């Protein structure tokens, strides 16, 4: 087999024990060459970002305390993995970074200002620490490996905290820097999530972005497979924190997976799989705690597509429903255009839309510019906003052609007295979503999961 890109998320590298498991998984990998992309240890990115916030609020000592806790945790992991005589190099790097972090938070507290650029440099230490320790462990344990700083090849624009990778520059650098190391037989260990501008300023590509990093590396190096290792058995029929008996989906299409990710299933980052789709590279979602479980295989066109079943139920909370009614008698020419111009102007993503003759309902998650948006919309319409809503979404290939799915969704919800504020079926034909009160999410998801997955008719070719 050719190159395998393996990405391990935060929980998969959260402790020395977790890193042992990752080592075993890499050792047992059948790939001719392996590129390993790691996240920060679980919780560390949040802690690093918090140091910045706390420091900017003037609490320099508290921020320094968090830095020290972060360093202590990594030192502990390192000491469990490396014998004393092999710690020198890693210990030296940890010491330098500890001083850098302390200086950074001190600087932020003096300035009293926290820029996105500072947030990115702070966050980058998470992935740099996890990969530093893991690669040293792997090498000293006998696997020929090399640590490559992702900032040498993941070239992005300067949109800090949400930087966009430059595919041409990144592809070039990967060929120059990473390809020869893979050819020499080394396991390349690198960071997800972080990158750099062409002039060398550290960036990050958005929260949860390591999946995207792995997919990009895989696509640009023509990998045979991209593996996303996490803490659940694969993509499940619903969020396991709400549905304890959620089933593993054995195989699904790229379109279904990205739709699910978009509608809140945190297991995959939305744009993750786009680079893989374009290159037709299969993506596997696997459990690092149970590597023997076959996981979920995401492919361009699964053989099972014609079964057109509902695959999963997802939800997204913190949604505001905005209802916009034209103040003219009939929907004036350009009404929709005017509405979307306003959202575009404030770079606010609209998730779902439903329209009637003279009114339009949209949902948004980002309310940072809501006041300005409302002011502009009110110049040509009457607007009401309902917050505290959630979108629940049922996903499955070819849903629109399956008769009776809408009834199977609406009937159980009406029996449970769950009020539906808006319904929308995407043109993609693979999702049917509706807006309800946030407080009704568990009830609605449980009812729909029971309806579609708790009976005997579940297709064993698709579900566990
Ligand atoms: P990682 O740190 O490995 O990137 P994440 O926390 O980002 O892991 O994603 C995995 C988590 O996604 C799971 O632990 C699970 O709680 C959550 N999740 C939400 N919806 C789903 C779903 N439909 N299938 C699987 N996991 C889901
Ligand atoms: N560590 C980063 C985050 O927590 C990226 C990732 O884990 O994918 O957002
Ligand atoms: Mg993730």
């Amino acid at each position: 087999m050719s190159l395998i890109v393996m990405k391990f998320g935060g929980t998969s590298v959260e402790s020395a024990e977790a890193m042992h498991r990752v080592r075993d998984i890499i050792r047992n990998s059948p790939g001719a060459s392996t590129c390993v992309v790691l996240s920060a240890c679980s919780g560390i990115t949040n802690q690093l970002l918090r140091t910045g916030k706390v420091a900017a609020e003037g609490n320099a000592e508290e921020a320094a305390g968090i830095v020290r806790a972060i360093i202590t945790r990594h030192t502990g992991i390192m000491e469990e993995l490396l014998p004393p005589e092999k710690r020198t190099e890693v210990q030296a790097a940890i010491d330098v970074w500890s001083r850098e972090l302390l200086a950074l938070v001190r600087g932020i507290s003096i300035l009293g200002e926290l820029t996105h650029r500072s947030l990115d440099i702070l966050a980058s230490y998470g992935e740099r620490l996890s990969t530093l320790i893991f690669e040293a462990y792997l090498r000293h344990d006998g696997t020929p490996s090399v640590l490559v700083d992702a900032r040498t090849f993941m070239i992005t624009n300067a949109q800090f905290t949400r930087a966009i990778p430059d595919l041409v520059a990144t592809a070039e650098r990967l060929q120059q820097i990473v390809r020869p190391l893979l050819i020499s037989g080394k396991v390349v260990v690198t960071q997800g999530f972080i990158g750099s501008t062409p002039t060398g300023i550290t960036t990050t590509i958005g929260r949860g972005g390591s999946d995207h990093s792995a997919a990009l590396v895989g696509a640009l190096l023509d990998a045979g497979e991209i593996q996303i290792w996490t803490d659940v058995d694969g993509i499940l029929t619903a969020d396991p924190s709400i549905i304890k008996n959620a089933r593993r989906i054995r195989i699904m299409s790229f379109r279904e997976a990205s739709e699910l990710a978009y509608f809140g299933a945190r297991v995959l980052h939305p744009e993750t799989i786009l680079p893989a789709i374009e290159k037709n590279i299969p993506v596997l979602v696997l459990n690092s705690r149970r590597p023997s479980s076959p996981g979920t295989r995401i492919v361009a066109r699964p053989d099972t597509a014609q079964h057109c079943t509902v695959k999963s139920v997802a939800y997204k909370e913190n949604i505001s429903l905005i209802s916009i009614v034209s103040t003219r008698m009939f929907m004036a020419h350009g009404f929709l255009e005017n509405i979307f111009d306003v959202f575009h102007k404030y770079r606010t993503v609209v998730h779902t839309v439903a329209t009637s003759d003279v009114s339009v309902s949209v949902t948004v998650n980002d309310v940072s510019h809501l006041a300005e948006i409302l002011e502009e919309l009110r110049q040509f319409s009457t607007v009401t906003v309902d917050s505290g809503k959630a979108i629940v979404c049922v996903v499955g290939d070819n849903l629109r052609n399956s008769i009776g799915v809408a009834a199977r969704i609406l009937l159980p919800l009406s029996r449970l007295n769950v009020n539906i504020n808006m319904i929308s079926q995407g043109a993609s034909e693979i999702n049917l979503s509706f807006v309800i009160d946030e407080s009704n999410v568990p009830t609605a998801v449980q009812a729909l999961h029971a309806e579609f997955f708790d009976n005997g008719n579940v297709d064993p070719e698709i579900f566990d």
Side-chain angles (χ1 to χ4, degrees), residues 304-358:
T304 45
Q306 73 281 10
H307 296 218
C308 36
T309 37
V310 168
K311 290 280 171 31
S312 192
V313 184
Y315 64 93
K316 206 178 184 101
E317 290 168 318
N318 276 323
I319 294 292
S320 295
L321 177 65
I322 306 178
S323 307
I324 307 152
V325 182
S326 171
T327 39
R328 316 249 170 91
M329 267 293 275
F330 301 102
M331 182 111 85
H333 168 75
F335 181 53
L336 285 179
E337 193 184 337
N338 292 342
I339 291 174
F340 288 107
D341 274 351
V342 175
F343 286 99
H344 177 68
K345 180 171 166 192
Y346 293 100
R347 292 172 166 270
T348 299
V349 177
V350 167
H351 292 292
T352 45
V353 185
T355 62
S356 76
D357 260 12
V358 288

Side-chain angles (χ1 to χ4, degrees), residues 7 9-10 39-40 45-46 127 192-193 206-211:
K7 176 259 170 176
S39 288
T45 309
N46 285 345
E127 269 70 10
F193 182 52
R207 293 304 306 271
S210 296
D211 297 338

Side-chain angles (χ1 to χ4, degrees), residues 7-24:
K7 176 259 170 176
F8 294 88
T11 43
S12 301
V13 291
E14 67 186 353
S15 61
E17 200 193 335
M19 289 198 187
H20 280 304
R21 286 193 293 261
V22 172
R23 174 209 55 189
D24 291 342

Side-chain angles (χ1 to χ4, degrees), residues 225-229 268 281-286 294-299:
E225 189 169 290
I226 296 163
Q227 302 179 347
I228 308 288
W229 291 85
L268 269 185
I281 303 170
V283 176
L284 258 81
V285 180
L286 296 152
T296 298
R297 193 172 183 81
I298 307 169
V299 294

Side-chain angles (χ1 to χ4, degrees), residues 7-12 39-40 42 208 210-211 228-241 246-247 249 260 264-269 285 312-315:
K7 176 259 170 176
F8 294 88
T11 43
S12 301
S39 288
S42 65
S210 296
D211 297 338
I228 308 288
W229 291 85
T230 182
D231 61 348
V232 283
D233 275 353
I235 301 192
L236 309 176
T237 47
D239 182 346
S241 65
R247 293 166 184 254
I249 304 170
L260 258 188
R266 148 175 84 105
V267 64
L268 269 185
H269 188 263
V285 180
S312 192
V313 184
Y315 64 93

